[in-house]
């Protein structure tokens, strides 16, 4: 593994030589990292089972942590010893190499239970103390997921921020085999692996959003010849039509408590916002003016709604109180500001800002109203926030392809997720998984 | 030959005939009645009383009839040309817009009027108006903007006599572009409303 500064590194997470490893349809291309990364050593986990492991756990963990941009990882070839548990650790071996942290682990398999037992320990090299130690169990298919969980724990222990390595992303891909459109609604791990197709259509699919309990996606599908909103259970595929009125049925936004949705309908003449009860589907119209009102997004506390409106003559971001449905304009800089999403603390809004012909993801601070452009790509759309509030994933154009891009709000990480084939767009980062 | 030239020619012919008729009134009158009498005498019929035939009026009647025929013919040809023009105008099904705008351009008028004329006189004919955008900006806003473009066309047709029951509106936003490039030329082609006859 190379050291990461701002070096370009293409990490292809598909190993053709190992048939047991899933080939990812999304690739990862890292283009940015922290200026002063933390030196971390991940010692190859010792395999104490009688067979080869279906996942190279230290590889998955290394990929996760290097992608975060916060760490620089020591190549195994440079390690002076290879401990697999605390009592084997010689701190001098790691201090010599300037390492801050050390991760060791081993894997056992219980044939009676048919379960893997994975033990890992995280050490602070300078303090010479153990920070973390856990034993986790999983079935034969769960090693990759377990690796992500370990990455999350390490990330949180060292940075204080909860990791999102074990979360998922939803997105839409578009291919044109033989000139015909083929849209797919897909879900994958946050690193693009284990992708699953939830819906395939020759007509457009757009705007996927996760339910707060991460069990369902709501999205817009044109499968019946016009825009229609559906919800779909990710695990079972079970679908439900939420809105199918004349005109637009689009831009679904789930409330933080999962009981309501704000959607866009144009049945009353032009695009307006409607508040829907998810259970009964009873609708209440909440905007009433001649322009376009769409792209609603709830604040984390459920008390406000950000949305796009051109009631003032151009597309701008407005904030509405869910108490009295009064809306005030938020953006005054630039001729086009749209598609808002609240930041994790509810104190800022991420949106798309047009400047000199370029469309960029930007941020506006709600208190001070200061606008900051965050990207240097140029046809940006659909920013979505990771559940820890640290990362933004969005759709953009690179060369001739629609690709996804991720960057850390603090500037410490940046990478691209192009699809192997065709365009990818409309990403939505899942909430933290709710373990049942 | 254009309509105008024909009309002028007709007028010229008419005037020429009139003038010729007028100038030879006296002589012709006399000759006509004298000739008629002579003809009658030759055939043994009693001489007809001399009827003053107004040759000019005769000539005028002939030219008036000719004129009416020519006018009728000209009208049929004009109608045929107009119908061809209308068909040609109705061949135009795609109407373009400026960025972030749903305003109809002046050059769209003639074709839309032709569609309106056809639809208002063919009440069983139905169309769907599809609205589209270029890829810039955000997807959902573009879906609404595409709809607004289609609705602008709908409004124009309704104002010009088309029944709402014949019209349906649909938006695809920035989906289904006709031009796949990422430049001004491609974008201009994608900002459109399309008339689709059912």
């Amino acid at each position: 593994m190379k050291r990461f500064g701002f070096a370009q590194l293409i990490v292809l997470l598909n190993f053709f030589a190992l048939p047991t490893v899933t080939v990812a349809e999304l690739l990862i291309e890292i283009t940015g990292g922290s200026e002063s990364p933390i030196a971390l050593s991940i010692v190859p986990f010792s395999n104490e089972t009688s067979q080869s492991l279906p996942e190279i756990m230290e590889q998955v963990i290394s990929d996760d942590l290097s992608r975060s941009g916060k760490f620089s990882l020591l190549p195994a070839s440079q390690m002076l010893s290879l401990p697999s548990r605390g009592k084997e650790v010689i701190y001098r071996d790691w201090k010599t190499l300037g390492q801050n942290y050390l991760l060791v682990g081993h894997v056992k398999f219980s044939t009676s239970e048919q379960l893997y037992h994975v033990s890992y320990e995280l050490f602070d090299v300078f303090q010479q103390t153990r920070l973390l130690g856990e034993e986790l169990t999983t079935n034969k298919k769960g090693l990759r997921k377990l690796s992500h969980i370990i990455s999350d724990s390490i990330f949180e222990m060292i940075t204080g921020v909860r990791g999102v390595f074990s979360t998922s992303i939803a997105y839409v891909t578009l291919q044109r085999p033989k000139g015909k459109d083929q849209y797919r609604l897909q879900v994958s791990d946050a690193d693009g692996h284990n992708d699953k197709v939830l819906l395939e259509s020759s007509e457009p699919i757009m705007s996927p959003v996760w339910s707060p309990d991460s069990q369902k996606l709501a999205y817009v599908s044109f499968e019946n010849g016009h825009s229609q909103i559906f919800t779909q259970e990710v695990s079972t595929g079970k679908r439900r039509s939420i809105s199918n009125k004349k005109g637009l049925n689009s831009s679904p936004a789930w409330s933080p408590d999962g009981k309501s949705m704000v959607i866009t309908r144009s049945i009353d003449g032009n695009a307006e916002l409607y508040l829907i009860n998810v259970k009964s589907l009873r609708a209440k119209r909440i905007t009433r003016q001649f322009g376009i009102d769409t792209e609603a997004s709830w604040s984390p506390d459920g008390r406000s709604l950000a949305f796009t409106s051109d009631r003032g003559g151009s597309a701008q971001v407005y904030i509405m109180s869910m108490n009295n449905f009064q809306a005030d304009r938020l953006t005054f800089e630039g001729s086009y500001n749209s598609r808002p999403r609240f930041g994790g603390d509810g104190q800022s809004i991420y949106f798309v800002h047009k400047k000199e012909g370029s469309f960029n993801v930007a941020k506006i601070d709600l208190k001070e109203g200061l606008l900051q452009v965050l990207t240097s790509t140029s046809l940006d759309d659909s920013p979505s926030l990771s559940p820890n509030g640290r990362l933004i994933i969005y759709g953009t154009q690179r060369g001739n392809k629609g690709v996804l891009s991720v960057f850390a709000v603090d500037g410490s990480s940046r990478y691209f997720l192009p699809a192997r084939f065709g365009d990818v767009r409309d990403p939505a980062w899942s909430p933290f998984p709710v373990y049942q | 030959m254009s309509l105008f030239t024909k009309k002028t020619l007709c007028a010229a012919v008419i005037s020429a005939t009139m003038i010729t008729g007028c100038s030879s009134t006296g002589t012709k009158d006399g000759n006509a009645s004298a000739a008629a009498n002579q003809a009658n005498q030759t055939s043994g019929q009693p001489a007809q009383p001399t009827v003053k035939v107004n040759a000019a009026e005769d000539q005028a009647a002939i030219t008036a009839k000719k004129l009416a025929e020519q006018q009728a013919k000209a009208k049929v040809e004009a109608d045929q040309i107009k119908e061809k023009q209308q068909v040609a105008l109705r061949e135009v099904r795609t109407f373009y817009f400026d960025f972030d705008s749903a305003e109809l351009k002046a050059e769209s008028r003639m074709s839309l009027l032709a569609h309106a004329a056809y639809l208002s006189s063919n009440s069983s004919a139905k169309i769907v108006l599809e609205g589209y955008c270029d890829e810039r900006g955000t997807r959902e806003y573009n879906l609404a903007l595409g709809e607004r473009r289609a609705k602008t066309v709908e409004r124009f047709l309704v104002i010009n006599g088309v029944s709402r029951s014949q019209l349906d509106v649909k938006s695809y936003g920035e989906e289904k572009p006709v031009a796949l490039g990422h430049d001004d030329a491609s974008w201009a082609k994608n900002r459109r409303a399309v008339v689709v006859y059912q």
Side-chain angles (χ1 to χ4, degrees):
Chain A
M1 275 286 181
K2 283 187 183 170
R3 250 195 116 93
F4 293 97
F6 291 101
Q8 295 254 356
L9 179 78
I10 298 170
V11 179
L12 289 175
L13 297 178
N14 56 303
F15 301 97
F16 293 107
L18 300 170
T20 51
V21 178
T22 320
V23 173
E25 213 189 276
L26 288 187
L27 312 171
I28 295 196
E29 209 179 290
I30 297 173
T31 57
S34 170
E35 275 186 14
S36 44
I38 297 161
L40 169 68
S41 293
I42 301 175
V43 182
F45 282 22
S46 99
N47 178 2
E48 291 167 19
T49 72
S50 54
Q51 298 191 311
S52 63
L53 297 173
E55 288 291 346
I56 304 166
M57 294 185 75
E58 64 272 12
Q59 188 65 62
V60 179
I61 299 168
S62 297
D63 288 343
D64 281 346
L65 295 173
S66 64
R67 199 169 63 246
S68 77
K70 293 277 198 200
F71 302 94
S72 109
L73 301 169
L74 188 74
S77 53
Q78 290 180 31
M79 294 176 183
L80 300 172
S81 52
L82 299 171
S84 61
R85 48 210 3 106
K87 62 187 184 201
E88 294 169 7
V89 172
I90 303 163
Y91 286 108
R92 193 191 60 238
D93 285 353
W94 307 100
K95 273 190 179 168
T96 314
L97 297 168
Q99 298 303 293
N100 298 119
Y101 298 94
L102 170 69
L103 175 70
V104 306
H106 55 268
V107 185
K108 292 183 198 268
F109 185 74
S110 159
T111 29
S112 54
E113 295 169 317
Q114 285 295 296
L115 289 175
Y116 284 109
H117 288 253
V118 178
S119 300
Y120 73 93
E121 293 167 278
L122 180 71
F123 298 92
D124 180 325
V125 174
F126 289 127
Q127 303 291 321
Q128 298 194 39
T129 52
R130 194 181 89 153
L131 298 171
L132 269 179
E134 256 198 307
E135 190 191 283
L136 302 168
T137 47
T138 186
N139 62 28
K140 285 195 161 188
K141 292 188 179 168
L143 281 183
R144 193 170 180 96
K145 183 73 182 240
L146 216 63
S147 308
H148 291 312
I149 288 170
I150 294 170
S151 301
D152 281 340
S153 301
I154 292 165
F155 190 85
E156 186 169 358
M157 174 58 67
I158 295 174
T159 68
V161 177
R162 191 169 167 187
V164 290
F165 303 107
S166 55
T167 56
S168 306
I169 53 174
Y171 49 91
V172 176
T173 57
L174 171 61
Q175 289 177 43
R176 290 195 177 90
K178 295 169 190 168
K180 196 163 185 264
D181 285 346
Q182 189 180 74
Y183 287 86
R184 288 193 178 109
L185 174 64
Q186 300 186 231
V187 166
S188 74
D189 295 346
D191 64 1
H193 273 245
N194 291 327
D195 62 281
K196 182 171 143 170
V197 177
L198 277 96
L199 183 71
E200 197 170 310
S201 175
S202 55
E203 292 296 313
I205 303 170
M206 59 177 78
S207 309
V209 285
W210 292 85
S211 60
D213 65 4
S214 70
Q215 297 305 298
K216 298 196 189 83
L217 282 172
Y219 54 87
V220 179
S221 167
F222 283 70
E223 63 200 66
N224 292 321
H226 53 271
S227 59
Q228 192 173 345
I229 300 174
F230 290 90
T231 56
Q232 182 166 340
E233 253 172 54
V234 178
S235 53
T236 63
K238 192 166 141 206
R239 295 177 87 200
R240 183 182 175 217
S241 174
I242 296 289
S243 182
N244 192 21
K245 301 286 179 193
K246 192 164 189 294
L248 299 176
N249 298 275
S250 64
S251 199
W254 240 302
S255 65
D257 67 5
K259 293 179 181 162
S260 315
M261 251 193 231
V262 169
I263 65 170
T264 296
R265 275 182 179 162
S266 63
I267 185 156
D268 289 324
N270 63 84
E272 306 276 12
L273 299 180
Y274 290 75
L275 178 63
I276 307 267
N277 177 293
V278 174
K279 217 171 181 175
S280 67
L281 297 186
R282 275 194 39 218
K284 178 194 166 81
R285 182 171 162 183
I286 61 178
T287 57
R288 225 164 262 280
Q289 52 84 41
F290 286 111
I292 289 169
D293 294 304
T294 187
E295 297 177 335
S297 163
W298 294 74
S299 63
D301 65 9
R303 303 228 283 252
S304 330
L305 202 72
F307 64 101
T308 307
S309 179
D310 68 356
R311 57 186 65 185
S314 64
Q316 300 290 342
V317 176
Y318 286 71
I319 308 275
M320 172 189 284
S321 154
M322 292 312 267
N323 253 339
N324 56 17
F325 306 117
Q326 298 273 64
D328 289 311
R329 183 167 161 173
L330 178 68
T331 52
F332 291 91
E333 206 181 309
S335 61
Y336 191 116
N337 294 291
S338 65
R339 190 37 175 78
R341 284 290 187 267
F342 272 88
D345 58 3
Q347 295 306 307
S348 49
I349 300 261
Y350 296 89
F351 60 101
V352 175
H353 170 74
K354 176 173 184 256
K355 187 177 182 175
E356 290 152 14
S358 178
F359 291 81
N360 294 101
V361 177
K363 172 184 175 179
I364 189 164
D365 177 272
L366 287 175
K367 274 201 192 114
E368 283 147 52
L370 290 173
L371 192 154
Q372 203 191 340
V373 173
L374 301 172
T375 66
S376 53
T377 34
S378 64
L379 282 169
D380 298 353
D381 195 355
S382 319
S384 170
L385 219 61
S386 63
N388 65 358
R390 188 183 163 255
L391 300 165
I392 307 271
I393 189 169
Y394 66 100
T396 189
Q397 204 74 31
R398 217 158 65 119
N400 224 11
K401 279 173 76 141
V403 300
L404 301 182
S405 181
V406 179
F407 64 92
V409 170
D410 67 3
S412 62
S413 164
R414 189 175 288 274
Y415 55 95
F416 286 92
L417 289 161
R420 186 184 304 283
F421 302 109
D423 294 329
V424 53
R425 71 265 290 272
D426 261 347
W429 213 307
S430 78
F432 285 116
V434 175
Y435 293 113
Q436 269 105 21
Chain B
M1 199 193 270
S2 83
L3 211 55
F4 274 118
T5 323
K6 272 199 173 174
K7 275 189 181 163
T8 326
L9 193 62
C10 284
V13 167
I14 291 162
S15 333
T17 322
M18 296 287 247
I19 294 165
T20 324
C22 286
S23 63
S24 53
T25 307
T27 324
K28 268 198 176 160
D29 276 346
N31 284 346
S33 45
N37 274 332
Q38 266 194 338
N40 288 337
Q41 281 169 355
T42 315
S43 59
Q45 279 174 4
Q48 298 284 357
T50 309
V51 177
K52 275 218 160 129
V53 180
N54 190 335
E57 280 171 11
D58 247 352
Q59 202 59 36
I62 294 164
T63 49
K65 192 177 173 212
K66 267 197 187 150
L67 174 60
E69 281 171 8
Q70 277 161 348
Q71 276 178 337
K73 193 175 171 203
K75 183 173 192 307
V76 167
E77 281 170 358
D79 280 347
Q80 282 173 344
I81 287 171
K82 192 181 176 206
E83 183 49 34
K84 273 193 186 149
Q85 284 174 340
Q86 290 290 94
V87 167
L89 285 170
R90 287 204 306 274
E91 288 298 301
V92 177
R93 306 285 167 95
T94 305
F95 304 95
Y96 298 96
F97 298 84
D98 289 337
F99 176 69
D100 207 20
S101 163
E103 216 180 286
L104 274 177
K105 297 189 174 201
E107 55 257 40
S108 306
R109 272 187 65 88
M110 292 302 290
S111 288
L112 284 175
L113 283 170
H115 285 293
Y118 178 83
L119 288 166
S120 51
S121 49
N122 288 278
S123 58
S124 60
K126 286 182 189 259
I127 59 169
V128 172
L129 296 162
E130 297 177 347
Y132 298 89
C133 297
D134 71 41
E135 66 182 340
R136 294 175 294 170
T138 54
R139 201 172 302 275
E140 284 280 359
Y141 178 79
N142 280 337
L143 201 59
L145 177 60
E147 185 188 63
R148 186 188 270 168
R149 285 173 175 157
K151 288 198 160 175
T152 302
V153 176
E154 183 191 40
R155 206 162 28 245
F156 183 93
L157 294 174
V158 167
I159 286 169
N160 285 286
V162 183
S163 161
R164 272 190 196 280
S165 60
Q166 293 175 270
L167 307 171
D168 196 13
V169 161
K170 200 191 274 195
S171 172
Y172 286 103
E174 62 184 81
E175 306 305 304
K176 300 182 186 257
V178 294
L180 299 178
H182 308 288
D183 47 48
D184 283 319
S186 296
W187 294 333
K189 289 193 188 124
N190 292 326
R191 294 191 298 270
R192 67 202 193 279
V194 183
V195 171
V196 181
Y197 279 85
Q198 301 299 289

